[in-house]
mmCIF file of all heavy atoms in Angstrom:
data_model
loop_
_atom_site.group_PDB
_atom_site.id
_atom_site.type_symbol
_atom_site.label_atom_id
_atom_site.label_comp_id
_atom_site.label_asym_id
_atom_site.label_seq_id
_atom_site.Cartn_x
_atom_site.Cartn_y
_atom_site.Cartn_z
ATOM 1 N N GLY A 349 -20.094 -31.905 16.923
ATOM 2 C CA GLY A 349 -18.962 -32.383 16.151
ATOM 3 C C GLY A 349 -17.907 -31.336 15.872
ATOM 4 O O GLY A 349 -17.062 -31.509 14.988
ATOM 5 N N ARG A 350 -17.942 -30.252 16.625
ATOM 6 C CA ARG A 350 -16.955 -29.185 16.437
ATOM 7 C C ARG A 350 -15.757 -29.413 17.349
ATOM 8 O O ARG A 350 -15.885 -29.879 18.481
ATOM 9 C CB ARG A 350 -17.574 -27.819 16.721
ATOM 10 C CG ARG A 350 -18.741 -27.482 15.808
ATOM 11 C CD ARG A 350 -19.363 -26.162 16.213
ATOM 12 N NE ARG A 350 -18.495 -25.033 15.856
ATOM 13 C CZ ARG A 350 -18.372 -23.938 16.581
ATOM 14 N NH1 ARG A 350 -19.011 -23.826 17.731
ATOM 15 N NH2 ARG A 350 -17.599 -22.952 16.176
ATOM 16 N N LEU A 351 -14.592 -29.052 16.845
ATOM 17 C CA LEU A 351 -13.349 -29.187 17.589
ATOM 18 C C LEU A 351 -13.197 -27.990 18.522
ATOM 19 O O LEU A 351 -13.054 -26.849 18.065
ATOM 20 C CB LEU A 351 -12.168 -29.264 16.621
ATOM 21 C CG LEU A 351 -10.776 -29.375 17.229
ATOM 22 C CD1 LEU A 351 -10.628 -30.671 18.020
ATOM 23 C CD2 LEU A 351 -9.707 -29.300 16.137
ATOM 24 N N ASN A 352 -13.259 -28.245 19.810
ATOM 25 C CA ASN A 352 -13.089 -27.205 20.822
ATOM 26 C C ASN A 352 -11.680 -27.300 21.389
ATOM 27 O O ASN A 352 -11.240 -28.384 21.815
ATOM 28 C CB ASN A 352 -14.105 -27.373 21.951
ATOM 29 C CG ASN A 352 -15.502 -26.944 21.550
ATOM 30 O OD1 ASN A 352 -16.069 -26.018 22.098
ATOM 31 N ND2 ASN A 352 -16.079 -27.639 20.573
ATOM 32 N N ILE A 353 -10.966 -26.183 21.428
ATOM 33 C CA ILE A 353 -9.598 -26.152 21.932
ATOM 34 C C ILE A 353 -9.525 -25.149 23.063
ATOM 35 O O ILE A 353 -10.020 -24.021 22.945
ATOM 36 C CB ILE A 353 -8.604 -25.767 20.822
ATOM 37 C CG1 ILE A 353 -8.763 -26.690 19.618
ATOM 38 C CG2 ILE A 353 -7.167 -25.810 21.334
ATOM 39 C CD1 ILE A 353 -7.995 -26.232 18.395
ATOM 40 N N VAL A 354 -8.914 -25.556 24.170
ATOM 41 C CA VAL A 354 -8.737 -24.682 25.333
ATOM 42 C C VAL A 354 -7.235 -24.584 25.589
ATOM 43 O O VAL A 354 -6.661 -25.403 26.290
ATOM 44 C CB VAL A 354 -9.476 -25.218 26.572
ATOM 45 C CG1 VAL A 354 -9.344 -24.242 27.741
ATOM 46 C CG2 VAL A 354 -10.945 -25.474 26.252
ATOM 47 N N PRO A 355 -6.575 -23.608 24.999
ATOM 48 C CA PRO A 355 -5.119 -23.488 25.122
ATOM 49 C C PRO A 355 -4.708 -22.336 26.038
ATOM 50 O O PRO A 355 -5.481 -21.412 26.290
ATOM 51 C CB PRO A 355 -4.699 -23.173 23.681
ATOM 52 C CG PRO A 355 -5.847 -22.333 23.158
ATOM 53 C CD PRO A 355 -7.090 -22.732 23.930
ATOM 54 N N SER A 356 -3.494 -22.397 26.509
ATOM 55 C CA SER A 356 -2.888 -21.243 27.164
ATOM 56 C C SER A 356 -2.293 -20.386 26.056
ATOM 57 O O SER A 356 -1.211 -20.663 25.554
ATOM 58 C CB SER A 356 -1.795 -21.691 28.143
ATOM 59 O OG SER A 356 -1.224 -20.576 28.789
ATOM 60 N N THR A 357 -3.036 -19.370 25.646
ATOM 61 C CA THR A 357 -2.675 -18.630 24.437
ATOM 62 C C THR A 357 -2.933 -17.142 24.591
ATOM 63 O O THR A 357 -3.785 -16.728 25.381
ATOM 64 C CB THR A 357 -3.445 -19.161 23.221
ATOM 65 O OG1 THR A 357 -3.001 -18.489 22.031
ATOM 66 C CG2 THR A 357 -4.943 -18.918 23.373
ATOM 67 N N GLN A 358 -2.209 -16.355 23.810
ATOM 68 C CA GLN A 358 -2.436 -14.917 23.722
ATOM 69 C C GLN A 358 -3.305 -14.562 22.519
ATOM 70 O O GLN A 358 -3.658 -13.394 22.350
ATOM 71 C CB GLN A 358 -1.084 -14.197 23.564
ATOM 72 C CG GLN A 358 -0.094 -14.467 24.661
ATOM 73 C CD GLN A 358 1.289 -13.909 24.361
ATOM 74 O OE1 GLN A 358 2.285 -14.507 24.727
ATOM 75 N NE2 GLN A 358 1.375 -12.755 23.715
ATOM 76 N N ILE A 359 -3.639 -15.532 21.664
ATOM 77 C CA ILE A 359 -4.143 -15.219 20.327
ATOM 78 C C ILE A 359 -5.262 -16.166 19.925
ATOM 79 O O ILE A 359 -5.145 -16.918 18.958
ATOM 80 C CB ILE A 359 -2.988 -15.313 19.304
ATOM 81 C CG1 ILE A 359 -2.167 -16.581 19.559
ATOM 82 C CG2 ILE A 359 -2.104 -14.089 19.351
ATOM 83 C CD1 ILE A 359 -1.396 -17.089 18.404
ATOM 84 N N ALA A 360 -6.375 -16.150 20.646
ATOM 85 C CA ALA A 360 -7.432 -17.131 20.439
ATOM 86 C C ALA A 360 -7.910 -17.192 18.987
ATOM 87 O O ALA A 360 -8.081 -18.282 18.415
ATOM 88 C CB ALA A 360 -8.606 -16.837 21.370
ATOM 89 N N PHE A 361 -8.139 -16.049 18.363
ATOM 90 C CA PHE A 361 -8.674 -16.053 17.000
ATOM 91 C C PHE A 361 -7.638 -16.548 15.988
ATOM 92 O O PHE A 361 -7.986 -17.215 15.005
ATOM 93 C CB PHE A 361 -9.181 -14.658 16.623
ATOM 94 C CG PHE A 361 -10.487 -14.314 17.260
ATOM 95 C CD1 PHE A 361 -10.533 -13.638 18.467
ATOM 96 C CD2 PHE A 361 -11.687 -14.696 16.667
ATOM 97 C CE1 PHE A 361 -11.745 -13.328 19.066
ATOM 98 C CE2 PHE A 361 -12.910 -14.387 17.256
ATOM 99 C CZ PHE A 361 -12.936 -13.709 18.463
ATOM 100 N N HIS A 362 -6.371 -16.254 16.214
ATOM 101 C CA HIS A 362 -5.340 -16.779 15.324
ATOM 102 C C HIS A 362 -5.204 -18.291 15.490
ATOM 103 O O HIS A 362 -4.938 -19.006 14.518
ATOM 104 C CB HIS A 362 -4.000 -16.106 15.595
ATOM 105 C CG HIS A 362 -3.974 -14.639 15.270
ATOM 106 N ND1 HIS A 362 -4.797 -14.067 14.325
ATOM 107 C CD2 HIS A 362 -3.218 -13.622 15.770
ATOM 108 C CE1 HIS A 362 -4.553 -12.770 14.254
ATOM 109 N NE2 HIS A 362 -3.604 -12.472 15.124
ATOM 110 N N VAL A 363 -5.381 -18.794 16.724
ATOM 111 C CA VAL A 363 -5.343 -20.249 16.940
ATOM 112 C C VAL A 363 -6.405 -20.925 16.094
ATOM 113 O O VAL A 363 -6.149 -21.955 15.460
ATOM 114 C CB VAL A 363 -5.533 -20.593 18.433
ATOM 115 C CG1 VAL A 363 -5.709 -22.104 18.617
ATOM 116 C CG2 VAL A 363 -4.351 -20.108 19.261
#
Side-chain angles (χ1 to χ4, degrees):
R350 299 176 72 215
L351 179 63
N352 285 243
I353 306 170
V354 184
S356 181
T357 184
Q358 303 171 215
I359 45 157
F361 284 93
H362 294 333
V363 171

